[in-house]
Amino acid sequence: MTYIDGFVAAVKTADKETYRAHCQLMGGVFKEYGALAVVDTWGDDVPEGKLTSFTMAVKREDDETVVLGWISWPSKAQRDEAWKKVMADPRMQPGATPMPFDGKRMIFGGFEMISQV
């Protein structure tokens, strides 16, 4: 069954094109190792919350935009094997491809797909 890795982060609004280029590069790496699809989005209508919200979750600053992305895999087992290869890839080593956002404020996780309409 399809498995999804998802994440939410905050990116400097001025760095949108840098982020887009980063997504293209990283998406290619994930696809090389078996990802079915890699989707990256740029926040356009992300309201502030009073109790919870995407903006609060990533501690978005005034000069940042919330981004949301996901990678779909054929299965969790294939995802787990692919991640080992992704993390060993020279393009993923520290300093090789710096993330254009604060990774400490990124929220991520793996999800079993239970419905798709």
Side-chain angles (χ1 to χ4, degrees), residues 46-60 66 105 107:
V46 184
E48 296 288 337
K50 292 185 181 182
L51 182 59
T52 64
S53 67
F54 283 117
T55 57
M56 293 167 70
V58 296
K59 299 183 179 184
R60 183 189 63 82
V66 174
R105 293 187 285 141
I107 299 168

Side-chain angles (χ1 to χ4, degrees), residues 4-115:
I4 305 295
D5 280 322
F7 75 92
V8 179
V11 176
K12 295 275 186 203
T13 303
D15 290 342
K16 183 176 183 179
E17 291 309 314
T18 301
Y19 180 70
R20 182 191 319 267
H22 178 79
C23 292
Q24 290 290 304
L25 178 65
M26 293 296 98
V29 172
F30 288 114
K31 294 279 292 218
E32 282 179 38
Y33 293 111
L36 299 172
V38 180
V39 178
D40 295 288
T41 65
W42 188 260
D44 180 57
D45 184 13
V46 184
E48 296 288 337
K50 292 185 181 182
L51 182 59
T52 64
S53 67
F54 283 117
T55 57
M56 293 167 70
V58 296
K59 299 183 179 184
R60 183 189 63 82
E61 298 174 359
D62 290 341
D63 62 342
E64 294 177 327
T65 298
V66 174
V67 297
L68 167 71
W70 62 92
I71 306 166
S72 58
W73 301 96
S75 68
K76 185 176 191 295
Q78 287 174 297
R79 172 265 208 169
D80 290 347
E81 285 303 310
W83 267 104
K84 292 174 190 173
K85 295 173 185 170
V86 166
M87 296 314 292
D89 190 293
R91 295 168 289 183
M92 298 297 284
Q93 299 312 303
T97 310
M99 293 189 300
F101 56 89
D102 181 358
K104 292 184 294 270
R105 293 187 285 141
M106 178 173 68
I107 299 168
F108 60 91
F111 300 84
E112 175 185 343
M113 187 179 290
I114 62 168
S115 175

